[in-house]
Amino acid sequence: MKSRFKAWRHHLVWTLPMVAVLAGCTGGDKDTPKTHALATYSSTSWEALPAVSDTDLVAGFGSWRSACTRLKADPVWGSTCAASANVPQTASDIRGFLKQNLDVYGLRAANDNPNGLITGYYEPVYPGSLTQTEVANIPVYGVPEDMIIVSLDSIYPELKGKRLRGRLEGRVLKPYDDAATIETNGVKAPVVAWLTDPMNLQFLQIQGSGRIQLDDGRQLRIAYADQNGHPYRPIGRWLVEQGELKKEDVTMGAISTWAKANPSRIPELLGSNPSYVFFTRNPDSNEGPRGSLNVPLTAGYSAAVDRKVIPLGSLLWLSTTKPDGTALIRPVAAQDTGGAIAGEVRADLFWGTGEAAGQLAGDMKQQGQIWMLWPKGAALPQVPQVADAAKANP
């Protein structure tokens, strides 16, 4: 493996700088697009935050503190986590601790807009089998044996968090297969389980984890292991582009209904999203699925975020509504990420396990605001710059 790594890394060292040079050749400085920060943080007083109930405050703080086992050595959150260990689980004590140790920053989009998109996700339970049967014949793949993964910051520190995934063909690293190719040709990977419906596999990949209900009554827990390196493209967007659904009508339920009515077009629908997620089996447990921070998620109080804007482990103050319009204001813990969770003011709230949670998650597409509670004295996150859309070159 080491010799193969060296072979394609050698090509990568020469290729990436050339890509950067070519990307920069767009006609001179006068054509260079203007940029802005992906998001900004607006300092706010504690008194400006919308009020939350004592129950939500205790639950949200408990969710955040549950990740302190992973954050004890974190340069930003380590000392705050240590100080939180002895805080009694009462609303008054928690409020006092938060105000003493954390400052409040409102998230803002590029145009200083505080509003953003709040969606939901959940842990689905789908019927399936540990062996292939006539009914359960949709494979849930583990990580492919021939997929190579490299962290680009091992060569370019400025590309921290960026990875390449591909396959060696001779001495050349080629992109790994997209979803349509994998669906058609299969992949050199262990099969974790078998599902009965290709749409269930797609939703499982979107959620990132789930349970498979076996005939003997057991539930097999599976979780995200890796991804094929292709960008995530929402299948709902494809349905809108095809004129099959209106943008405002796109929900998981609407997508499922369309798929049942158009079974012959399901491969076309799934092929519109080149991303493909590989899974691993988790030990049986009644705790929530583990997010990117590798701690169990708490239903209603854990969220997936864009880590370029909100570092994992952060405590957030969320103000939005449920799909039925009732207010939802509470602290939540940033404990997960997702391919579709990108943007300025953006969060994906974890709703739990099973059908009821799935209904909430599938219908959740709300406007909302997010405040980040940040340790006093700690430097704010360095948010990347992005090109102004109106000025960017085609």
Side-chain angles (χ1 to χ4, degrees):
M1 179 61 72
K2 289 185 178 179
S3 61
R4 298 204 312 174
F5 171 79
K6 289 180 180 177
W8 67 261
R9 185 178 70 174
H10 175 76
H11 288 283
L12 187 64
V13 171
W14 289 101
T15 301
L16 283 177
M18 185 58 68
V19 169
V21 169
L22 293 175
C25 295
T26 56
D29 292 342
K30 63 189 178 84
D31 295 325
T32 301
K34 293 182 179 180
T35 63
H36 63 269
L38 180 60
T40 56
Y41 309 105
S42 176
S43 180
T44 307
S45 69
W46 274 96
E47 290 69 30
L49 288 177
V52 301
S53 69
D54 288 353
T55 299
D56 283 329
L57 180 63
V58 172
F61 181 76
S63 175
W64 168 79
R65 192 162 63 174
S66 71
C68 279
T69 54
R70 305 289 302 179
L71 298 171
K72 57 185 177 182
D74 186 88
V76 172
W77 286 105
S79 59
T80 306
C81 271
S84 74
N86 297 320
V87 177
Q89 285 287 80
T90 67
S92 59
D93 286 308
I94 290 171
R95 282 192 173 90
F97 172 82
L98 295 179
K99 290 182 178 181
Q100 181 179 353
N101 290 276
L102 304 175
D103 287 327
V104 182
Y105 294 91
L107 264 64
R108 297 288 188 271
N111 57 358
D112 202 37
N113 186 353
N115 296 310
L117 176 63
I118 312 299
T119 53
Y121 70 117
Y122 76 115
E123 184 184 35
V125 181
Y126 294 129
S129 173
L130 288 174
T131 58
Q132 185 176 10
T133 68
E134 185 177 348
V135 176
N137 54 19
I138 308 298
V140 180
Y141 287 118
V143 178
E145 301 166 1
D146 58 349
M147 188 169 74
I148 293 175
I149 306 167
V150 63
S151 296
L152 293 181
D153 56 11
S154 65
I155 302 170
Y156 298 102
E158 65 272 21
L159 297 179
K160 182 178 179 181
K162 299 294 184 181
R163 293 182 174 184
L164 279 179
R165 295 170 176 86
R167 178 194 293 112
L168 277 178
E169 294 184 8
R171 298 182 64 190
V172 178
L173 180 68
K174 296 291 186 68
Y176 206 77
D177 293 340
D178 62 12
T181 303
I182 293 174
E183 294 284 358
T184 301
N185 300 333
V187 67
K188 294 179 180 178
V191 176
V192 177
W194 300 84
L195 295 176
T196 62
D197 188 332
M199 292 304 299
N200 288 350
L201 177 60
Q202 179 69 190
F203 291 138
L204 185 65
Q205 294 189 47
I206 292 172
Q207 302 303 321
S209 65
R211 305 187 189 200
I212 298 177
Q213 183 71 53
L214 305 178
D215 287 341
D216 63 5
R218 290 186 300 146
Q219 289 187 348
L220 180 73
R221 302 197 69 174
I222 60 174
Y224 174 97
D226 219 309
Q227 188 256 1
N228 66 341
H230 289 266
Y232 170 81
R233 292 176 184 160
I235 57 176
R237 182 185 301 168
W238 182 85
L239 289 171
V240 172
E241 293 169 351
Q242 297 294 310
E244 300 292 332
L245 291 177
K246 294 180 180 179
K247 183 177 180 180
E248 60 271 20
D249 294 335
V250 174
T251 64
M252 195 164 63
I255 294 172
S256 296
T257 299
W258 182 92
K260 290 176 182 177
N262 299 273
S264 64
R265 298 191 68 189
I266 288 178
E268 187 181 1
L269 169 69
L270 300 183
S272 70
N273 175 22
S275 172
Y276 197 94
V277 171
F278 306 108
F279 291 90
T280 186
R281 180 174 176 177
N282 276 354
D284 294 342
S285 170
N286 290 324
E287 65 183 15
R290 291 178 178 263
S292 301
L293 203 54
N294 197 27
V295 296
L297 303 177
T298 303
Y301 297 94
S302 293
V305 297
D306 185 345
R307 65 197 308 171
K308 296 188 299 294
V309 177
I310 301 171
L312 284 176
S314 297
L315 181 59
L316 309 176
W317 206 271
L318 176 65
S319 177
T320 185
T321 58
K322 294 181 181 179
D324 64 4
T326 59
L328 191 156
I329 305 171
R330 61 182 54 170
V332 299
Q335 296 173 336
D336 205 1
T337 58
I341 314 306
E344 299 141 322
V345 184
R346 185 74 174 90
D348 201 29
L349 187 62
F350 175 68
W351 280 111
T353 300
E355 188 174 348
Q359 184 66 48
L360 269 172
D363 292 342
M364 186 92 180
K365 192 168 61 174
Q366 315 299 112
Q367 288 290 300
Q369 297 183 28
I370 301 172
W371 292 263
M372 186 170 68
L373 311 186
W374 196 248
K376 290 185 176 181
L380 286 168
Q382 294 296 307
V383 179
Q385 296 284 316
V386 294
D388 293 343
K391 301 293 184 179
N393 291 316

